[in-house]
């Protein structure tokens, strides 16, 4: 529930100010320049509609539960949404 409320706040407050949002824990190290370079690479632009990323983008580890086909995001290494 905590992560859901964080995303709700981010959407309400910052959705028009940034192209991407990253969430993760405090127990790892993120190289922001490497992430920025990857997000602007041709690979990502082609997969998600070109310049401006018009198609929804999720980068991270998605977990599928066998029963009920429920899916959730594994937050261990963090994930990116646009």
């Amino acid at each position: 529930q905590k992560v859901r409320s964080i995303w709700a706040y981010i959407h309400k407050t910052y959705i028009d100010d940034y192209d991407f949002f990253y969430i993760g824990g405090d127990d790892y190290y993120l190289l922001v320049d490497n992430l920025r370079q990857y997000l602007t690479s041709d690979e990502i632009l082609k997969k998600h509609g070109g310049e401006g990323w018009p198609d929804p983008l999720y980068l991270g580890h998605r977990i599928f539960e066998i029963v009920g086909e429920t899916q959730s995001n594994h937050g261990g290494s963090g994930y990116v949404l646009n």
Side-chain angles (χ1 to χ4, degrees), residues 7-8 14 17-19 24 33 38 40 43 46-47 52-54 63-64 72 75-76 78-79 81-82:
W7 282 123
Y14 299 108
D17 297 334
Y18 300 95
D19 293 324
D33 288 335
Y38 179 65
T40 58
E43 174 187 2
K46 286 178 186 175
K47 287 185 178 181
W53 304 277
I63 298 173
F64 294 94
S72 61
Y79 50 93
L81 299 174
N82 72 336

Side-chain angles (χ1 to χ4, degrees), residues 25 27 45:
D27 58 349
L45 291 175

Side-chain angles (χ1 to χ4, degrees), residues 4 62-73:
R4 186 177 294 171
R62 187 164 284 161
I63 298 173
F64 294 94
E65 293 180 17
I66 296 172
V67 179
E69 298 183 15
T70 302
Q71 54 183 322
S72 61
N73 300 319

Side-chain angles (χ1 to χ4, degrees), residues 19-63:
D19 293 324
F20 293 98
F21 299 95
Y22 177 84
I23 192 166
D26 61 355
D27 58 349
Y28 62 90
Y29 187 76
L30 172 68
L31 297 171
V32 177
D33 288 335
N34 289 357
L35 178 61
R36 182 181 298 121
Q37 184 177 359
Y38 179 65
L39 292 173
T40 58
S41 70
D42 290 339
E43 174 187 2
I44 296 299
L45 291 175
K46 286 178 186 175
K47 287 185 178 181
H48 297 284
E51 204 63 44
W53 304 277
D55 298 334
L57 174 65
Y58 165 83
L59 296 171
H61 183 71
R62 187 164 284 161
I63 298 173

